[in-house]
Amino acid sequence: MTKNVAKSNKNEVASMDYYEDFAVDTADLIIPKIMLMQKVSKKVEEEEAKVGEFRENVGNKLLGDKKTNLHLAPVRPIKKIYCESVKDKQGNIISYAEVPAEPGKKLSPLEQTEEGTLERQEAYQLFCLPLAELDDYIKADAKPFPFVITFKGASFYAGRQIFQAQFMYKNMRKPPFALMFEISSTQATSKMGGHTYYKMEVKKTEEIVDSKRLSMLRELFNDLNTASVKVAESEEEFF
């Protein structure tokens, strides 16, 4: 009987539209965040990740670690934001949000609200795509989907370096997605308490010259400029 089973044509299967009635609204899409795992990270405590790893917070996919640096292609210019945490009287975090920073307007690091004490921290936010992910999209001839990474705390300086590099690129009239950044996971020791943690550092910048990469990044840049998207929230933001 097995000899009589019809074999599907691979080209026919590949060309079929399996999602003809699958309506997509950009408001329904959630952009994953790239997180640098720390000792207090939930995934580390659950033994689903290791300290120093770069993980995305939707599917927990491993994107890099202490030995394998991240190679990021920006999709948008990096922007300055405020990370806002609201704490109750016991110091427990009630809510967390990332809000845009207005140029020339510096906000207070502390503010009392009805819910509790609001703490603000300056940071940089970058919409990006790891080059390994980008190349996978090119091979599959598929539409790319971006990530977001936030540089704050000990990693704030790395964000400032990217900002400076993109500022120079702007003056040279080059697109932000044409400059790749290699980001490392670097161990550091706190001066207060002596505990170890990991921070992000910019190890290298390099121009992207491959035409297929640039074409796909340009398409993603245009898509993000016309779409309203949500960034995946994470409990890991609380440190």
Side-chain angles (χ1 to χ4, degrees):
M1 291 182 65
T2 54
K3 293 182 180 180
N4 297 325
V5 176
K7 294 183 178 180
S8 299
N9 185 293
K10 289 184 178 180
N11 292 329
E12 180 183 343
V13 172
S15 63
M16 288 182 66
D17 187 358
Y18 297 100
Y19 299 94
E20 184 177 356
D21 299 324
F22 188 68
V24 177
D25 187 336
T26 54
D28 297 326
L29 300 177
I30 299 177
I31 295 182
K33 298 196 73 172
I34 299 175
M35 314 292 298
L36 179 56
M37 296 291 102
Q38 309 284 354
K39 289 180 180 179
V40 295
S41 298
K42 187 175 180 180
K43 291 297 182 183
V44 173
E45 292 177 348
E46 294 175 347
E47 298 184 351
E48 295 180 9
K50 296 179 180 178
V51 293
E53 290 180 342
F54 290 102
R55 295 266 181 174
E56 54 91 358
N57 69 336
V58 174
N60 197 37
K61 184 176 182 180
L62 178 64
L63 300 172
D65 54 31
K66 292 177 283 187
K67 295 182 179 179
T68 307
N69 293 343
L70 269 179
H71 294 80
L72 298 179
V75 177
R76 283 177 171 175
I78 195 168
K79 65 178 182 179
K80 205 168 191 178
I81 62 170
Y82 280 103
C83 299
E84 296 185 341
S85 301
V86 177
K87 296 181 178 180
D88 60 20
K89 293 180 180 180
Q90 288 71 43
N92 301 312
I93 294 178
I94 302 171
S95 64
Y96 175 88
E98 294 184 352
V99 298
E102 295 182 28
K105 185 179 179 181
K106 195 172 182 67
L107 300 180
S108 172
L110 289 174
E111 185 178 323
Q112 292 300 320
T113 68
E114 292 181 0
E115 292 80 14
T117 303
L118 188 153
E119 296 181 358
R120 289 191 181 94
Q121 186 179 22
E122 287 184 304
Y124 286 97
Q125 184 186 71
L126 180 68
F127 283 77
C128 59
L129 194 60
L131 287 188
E133 297 288 312
L134 174 61
D135 290 339
D136 285 344
Y137 281 116
I138 292 173
K139 290 176 185 177
D141 192 24
K143 199 172 186 65
F145 200 72
F147 293 79
V148 169
I149 190 167
T150 300
F151 300 90
K152 63 178 182 178
S155 299
F156 180 81
Y157 183 69
R160 179 170 285 176
Q161 286 179 289
I162 294 174
F163 179 88
Q164 180 72 18
Q166 287 193 335
F167 176 78
M168 299 301 295
Y169 240 48
K170 177 179 180 292
N171 290 343
M172 295 167 64
R173 300 183 183 277
K174 292 186 178 183
F177 49 79
L179 189 63
M180 179 276 298
F181 295 90
E182 182 178 342
I183 310 294
S184 71
S185 169
T186 304
Q187 188 178 49
T189 303
S190 172
K191 294 180 180 178
M192 297 179 63
H195 67 275
T196 59
Y197 61 94
Y198 285 84
K199 63 179 181 178
M200 291 180 272
E201 292 185 338
V202 176
K203 291 299 182 183
K204 186 174 67 174
T205 60
E206 186 175 299
E207 284 200 18
I208 297 174
V209 296
D210 181 83
S211 60
K212 290 183 178 179
R213 284 178 168 177
L214 289 173
S215 177
M216 188 159 281
L217 288 168
R218 185 177 293 107
E219 179 183 348
L220 187 53
F221 173 85
N222 292 331
D223 287 346
L224 283 179
N225 277 347
T226 58
S228 176
V229 294
K230 295 179 181 178
V231 177
E233 297 179 355
S234 174
E235 295 178 0
E236 310 303 327
E237 300 289 2
F238 297 162
F239 55 83

